[in-house]
Amino acid sequence: MAAEAQTLSHETVHPLQAGDPDVWQIISAEQQRQEHTLELIASENHTSPAVMEAVGSCLTNKYAEGYPGARYYGGCQYHDQVENLARNRAKQLFGCEYVNVQPHSGAQANAAVFFALMQPGDTFASLVLSDGGHLSHGMKINFSGKYFKPVHYPLNYDLESDGYEQIDYDAMRKVCLEAQPKMILCGYSAYPRIIDFKKFREVADECGALLMADIAHIAGLVAGGAHPSPFPHAHVVTTTTHKTLRGPRGGMIMTNDEEIAKKIDRSVFPGMQGGPLMHVIAGKAVCYGEALKDDFKQYAKQVVANAQTLAKTLIESGYRLTSGGTDNHLMLVDLSAKDADLTGADAEQWLEAAGIVTNKNGIPNDPRPPKITSGLRLGAAALTTRGFKETEMVQVGEFIDRVLSSKGDAETAKRVRSDVVDLCKEFPLPH
Ligand code: DSN
């Protein structure tokens, strides 16, 4: 009887709910928020329950400094197995020879590459940061701008040209030939077009530079065949694992060059990090396994189709998208074309009140400061995970326009919020 009661209570009471109801309540509320809102932040996704189970596992209890077969702690046999599994799956997924799955984040992966392949003070080239780059690509107060010397290549700002607001490869070549950087960095946080890695490599070869591709945003599209691969062009590739790739929060570094791989391993540990997050590495292994399955290709393709449908709906409603559209999972909406007074900050806030989660984002040559902006960045990865297809993306575009056209009217937000909840209920999160 006692044993039966124990089993029952074990089954019905969640350990977190029993042990720390305060934290449990906060997490439950966040779960509800995710379930009943439309997630359009381009860098976010809904990872699978299997990934979350691995991340919440007993692997969190272990120190495993070092690498498989060469650890500084005993008891690592299963940690070796899981890290090797993650590495092998990642190699197969991205078609490369060497992988380091230990970086805790994308920014740390980038830092490890910088310190592995350059000396402090060395010059590197990256996109003008306000045109879609990342803070670890040369922001003044970031390690990349403090210890290294960034030179920036621009987008094409010629309104008359076909490639308006797209990478200006000729200008990039000119900047690089002049500055003779040690490394050229491509891959961005708010760039909606295909990246021509081959062209970057040609310029890198011309000036004797290494080519680094940060594919954090497009990793899932690359893995699923919906964006060209940076291999064989890039010497080194970094990514996060939690955006379009749909894994746990973390980073990864890949290369086909044995010497570069050795330098990177030393730079990650002991250069940048101590003990790896083995529970997250297990989650990465699960994520790579999921991405190797055939249906992930369909997912990646649908992400792009969904982004393009949302883009078209918004354009038809009078919004301007930078570069005129999208080839990948994200788009950058220039709100000023629809309403000169509309800021990214207002749009983000009004949409959130209606259950649509986005982020304000500067547009190229934005006259407004980064905390206000004239733009809104939208991505389709998370909604596609819910099962949204073109029909639902048209609805999402209409919701967005209803809210923004109402200039934040509370009644409109309430009505859209109710429609959003209904749509979310039709497409529950993966359980
Ligand atoms: N902060 C991420 C993004 O939102 O794009 C980049 O790391």
Side-chain angles (χ1 to χ4, degrees):
M1 188 61 187
E4 203 179 284
Q6 211 176 4
T7 312
L8 265 182
S9 84
H10 182 72
E11 278 172 6
T12 49
V13 178
H14 195 288
L16 180 58
Q17 185 179 10
D20 193 329
D22 296 336
V23 172
W24 180 82
Q25 208 165 14
I26 294 169
I27 294 177
S28 303
E30 168 60 8
Q31 202 171 341
Q32 287 305 307
R33 186 193 71 81
Q34 291 186 17
E35 191 74 53
H36 294 132
T37 55
L38 297 177
E39 182 51 73
L40 279 137
I41 293 179
S43 48
E44 295 184 13
N45 211 329
H46 301 290
T47 199
S48 71
V51 167
M52 285 197 270
E53 190 176 341
V55 173
S57 71
C58 64
L59 272 73
T60 194
N61 294 334
K62 192 80 193 85
Y63 256 118
E65 282 178 11
Y67 290 101
R71 305 280 189 187
Y72 290 83
Y73 291 81
C76 287
Q77 68 266 41
Y78 301 116
H79 300 267
D80 284 5
Q81 284 179 21
V82 86
E83 188 165 348
N84 278 331
L85 188 62
R87 283 169 160 182
N88 290 336
R89 286 180 177 173
K91 286 183 211 169
Q92 195 187 339
L93 189 61
F94 288 96
C96 63
E97 295 285 321
Y98 305 95
V99 177
N100 188 310
V101 294
Q102 292 194 2
H104 301 332
S105 72
Q108 272 178 290
N110 288 350
V113 169
F114 274 52
F115 284 103
L117 304 182
M118 291 194 285
Q119 293 301 317
D122 279 350
T123 300
F124 70 99
S126 64
L127 179 67
V128 171
L129 293 192
S130 53
D131 283 358
H134 185 252
L135 56 95
S136 62
H137 299 180
M139 187 189 193
K140 260 199 187 103
I141 54 169
N142 181 263
F143 80 87
S144 53
K146 261 177 140 166
Y147 299 110
F148 301 91
K149 191 170 161 250
V151 290
H152 295 299
Y153 55 85
L155 293 179
N156 176 343
Y157 306 124
D158 176 5
L159 240 175
E160 304 305 312
S161 126
D162 272 354
Y164 180 53
E165 292 175 327
Q166 301 192 32
I167 294 164
D168 185 334
Y169 290 93
D170 292 334
M172 181 271 293
R173 177 173 176 268
K174 201 162 159 247
V175 167
C176 292
L177 287 179
E178 208 171 286
Q180 291 290 309
K182 189 101 171 253
M183 195 160 78
I184 302 174
L185 211 168
C186 61
Y188 317 101
S189 295
Y191 185 68
R193 295 298 182 178
I194 298 281
I195 300 166
D196 191 333
F197 296 113
K198 186 165 177 280
K199 276 194 190 154
F200 272 103
R201 176 58 185 263
E202 283 163 7
V203 175
D205 286 347
E206 214 179 333
C207 42
L210 292 170
L211 178 62
M212 168 178 169
D214 175 348
I215 62 164
H217 263 267
I218 54 171
L221 305 184
V222 170
H227 187 290
S229 172
F231 292 113
H233 311 296
H235 296 94
V236 61
V237 177
T238 60
T239 186
T240 52
T241 44
H242 49 271
K243 298 184 174 94
T244 50
L245 194 52
R246 213 166 53 180
R249 191 156 290 277
M252 164 164 73
I253 307 171
M254 299 171 272
T255 182
N256 279 327
D257 182 309
E258 191 178 356
E259 285 312 305
I260 289 179
K262 281 185 195 157
K263 288 182 186 169
I264 280 170
D265 282 352
R266 276 199 299 274
S267 184
V268 172
F269 172 83
M272 304 289 307
Q273 296 184 176
L277 307 176
M278 295 309 302
H279 54 306
V280 179
I281 290 174
K284 288 173 183 170
V286 176
C287 146
Y288 306 146
E290 289 175 354
L292 280 165
K293 293 189 180 138
D294 276 347
D295 59 1
F296 195 81
K297 285 192 181 60
Q298 187 46 41
Y299 166 71
K301 206 169 139 207
Q302 189 66 50
V303 168
V304 176
N306 282 354
Q308 290 176 336
T309 301
L310 178 59
K312 185 166 173 277
T313 309
L314 292 172
I315 289 169
E316 285 168 1
S317 306
Y319 298 86
R320 188 185 83 84
L321 301 194
T322 66
S323 84
T326 180
D327 302 323
N328 61 22
H329 64 301
L330 69 79
M331 68 213 69
L332 198 50
V333 187
D334 171 5
L335 299 162
S336 64
K338 171 86 173 179
D339 173 348
D341 296 328
L342 182 55
T343 67
D346 281 342
E348 178 190 303
Q349 209 184 333
W350 297 345
L351 288 167
E352 187 163 355
I356 301 170
V357 188
T358 64
N359 71 279
K360 58 183 166 294
N361 209 104
I363 56 170
N365 294 314
D366 200 324
R368 295 191 169 102
K371 284 193 177 144
I372 307 289
T373 80
S374 306
L376 198 63
R377 188 183 64 161
L378 305 173
L383 295 186
T384 309
T385 295
R386 291 191 92 113
F388 279 27
K389 296 236 166 64
E390 286 83 344
T391 311
E392 291 75 37
M393 296 312 284
V394 170
Q395 274 180 272
V396 172
E398 288 167 358
F399 291 161
I400 292 173
D401 185 43
R402 270 165 68 194
V403 174
L404 299 185
S405 297
S406 81
K407 291 183 173 285
D409 169 60
E411 264 315 302
T412 307
K414 206 168 141 195
R415 281 197 297 271
V416 173
R417 179 87 190 93
S418 160
D419 291 345
V420 163
V421 171
D422 288 346
L423 188 58
C424 288
K425 283 184 181 156
E426 265 185 72
F427 293 87
L429 294 182
H431 285 295

